[in-house]
Amino acid sequence: ETGVTQTPRHLVMGMTNKKSLKCEQHLGHNAMYWYKQSAKKPLELMFVYSLEERVENNSVPSRFSPECPNSSHLFLHLHTLQPEDSALYLCASSQYTGTGNNEKLFFGSGTQLSVL
Amino acid sequence: AQKITQTQPGMFVQEKEAVTLDCTYDTSDPSYGLFWYKQPSSGEMIFLIYQGSYDQQNATEGRYSLNFQKARKSANLVISASQLGDSAMYFCAMREGRGNNRLAFGKGNQVVVIP
């Protein structure tokens, strides 16, 4: 079983739909992340959860709503999205110590989202 | 302001040749970490190599090595003996300070290895 699993792999939704992206990590990590990857742009950090507490919300519109019920699971709830929200959404996890700068992120394969 | 700059256009590399991917960064923090990730067409970002700002030697991991030039703020990735499976996007990333959750990425370099 891969370390970080994301479902679904592909999602097409209309602007009025409500959907959720799911991420699960099997690495025993204590921090989870959502990144957005758009064409020709750097990865954008959206949310960070450390020990199940949201520690960063990078000015993301409220139509994106994260949820972290436990240290192994992370969701991204989507509602009334816009076409410009179409992108690859990547989940990652890490073992956050709070003292170093060498902590690696382990990524899932992402959910390719298309908003029509 | 962009913290990580990767400006090379897409690159074609002959199999078994070496390739160097450029990365420059911007920070005023004396403590930072630099990372390279590989993203094949499957989408998953795969960690390749790490270099700490206080590390005295350039990092190496198998066929990957990092040419760290601190004064120039550059952290170029060298892939030796390219293989067809090396075809992917390559991203440079930086974490500033200590205990920082934020990993900032560059726009990436596209590498295609040809037989």
Side-chain angles (χ1 to χ4, degrees), chain A residues 9 37 56 96 101 103 105, chain B residues 39 42 50 95 99 102:
Chain A
R9 288 298 311 273
Q37 185 177 25
E56 184 144 355
Y96 176 65
N101 59 26
E103 292 152 11
L105 265 58
Chain B
Q39 186 180 38
S42 59
Y50 163 82
R95 177 180 285 114
R102 175 182 290 269

Side-chain angles (χ1 to χ4, degrees), chain A residues 55-102:
Chain A
V55 295
E56 184 144 355
N57 176 350
N58 204 20
S59 302
V60 178
S62 59
R63 57 186 183 269
F64 295 90
S65 174
E67 179 190 1
C68 187
N70 55 62
S71 60
S72 299
H73 293 87
L74 184 66
F75 296 90
L76 188 62
H77 303 299
L78 316 172
H79 64 98
T80 60
L81 293 192
Q82 305 298 309
E84 60 264 29
D85 297 323
S86 298
L88 180 67
Y89 289 84
L90 289 162
C91 173
S93 71
S94 73
Q95 187 59 26
Y96 176 65
T97 64
T99 58
N101 59 26
N102 61 345

